[in-house]
Amino acid sequence: MKSEQDRPENPYYSRTDTTKLNLSDSTWKKVLSADVYDVARNKATERAFTGKYWDYDGHGTYYCAACGNALFRSDAKFASTCGWPSFFEPIRKNAMIYLEDNSYGMERTEVECGRCGAHLGHIFDDGPPPTNKRYCMNSIVLDFEPEK
């Protein structure tokens, strides 16, 4: 649960700036921790049931850990048995980018941060109403700010 003040190593992190970032891989490597970099830039996946937010139920807002972009409100989070934090809708329409992902012999839709292009996870059509979507995200690429 880091804030902008806790990130002097990442001058691109902002919870208010929505300007798209187009940084080199070497820049990201310098400003992100190794574990965040691996998921955000290399599209790695944390193991199920190991992330800090998979069963977290605090009230507040989830942000991209790479750039600070607002992604989800906690009232869009739901208990899922998949082992990763799951949400049924993003905080705003352009918070994310959706890409076809046919890796590992699967047909999926990848979800990337709409500001920095960080890999966040995947979206599936087996979520709850009203959207019936399940945004299955990696905890390591999420920051959480509790409601005050």
Side-chain angles (χ1 to χ4, degrees):
M1 294 185 220
K2 294 184 178 180
S3 69
E4 291 175 61
Q5 295 81 15
D6 298 329
R7 297 176 179 279
E9 75 283 358
N10 186 348
Y12 309 102
Y13 190 94
S14 173
R15 294 197 177 157
T16 56
D17 187 356
T18 57
T19 305
K20 286 201 186 282
L21 295 171
N22 187 15
L23 305 175
S24 68
D25 191 56
S26 60
T27 300
W28 283 119
K29 203 168 227 173
K30 288 177 191 169
V31 301
L32 299 178
S33 66
D35 50 355
V36 172
Y37 175 86
D38 195 36
V39 173
R41 308 320 303 178
N42 291 332
K43 303 181 184 210
T45 301
E46 63 192 4
R47 288 187 345 223
F49 305 103
T50 63
K52 60 189 170 194
Y53 299 125
W54 80 268
D55 66 346
Y56 185 71
D57 62 0
H59 296 282
T61 304
Y62 290 86
Y63 298 87
C64 175
C67 73
N69 187 34
L71 301 172
F72 301 100
R73 294 201 196 290
S74 59
D75 57 7
K77 190 172 189 286
F78 65 95
S80 170
T81 58
C82 70
W84 290 275
S86 298
F87 304 86
F88 60 82
E89 69 182 349
I91 202 163
R92 64 185 188 288
K93 187 177 180 179
N94 61 350
M96 291 157 202
I97 298 167
Y98 306 95
L99 303 167
E100 185 177 307
D101 178 2
N102 295 313
S103 60
Y104 305 106
M106 294 185 265
E107 292 182 18
R108 308 181 286 179
T109 301
E110 178 186 3
V111 178
E112 290 185 351
C113 174
R115 180 169 185 245
C116 73
H119 171 74
L120 302 171
H122 292 87
I123 184 172
F124 302 96
D125 292 324
D126 60 359
T131 65
N132 300 312
K133 300 292 184 192
R134 175 172 52 99
Y135 288 80
C136 184
M137 304 289 100
N138 289 284
S139 289
I140 194 72
V141 290
L142 298 177
D143 281 341
F144 180 77
E145 179 72 30
E147 285 181 1
K148 292 187 172 48

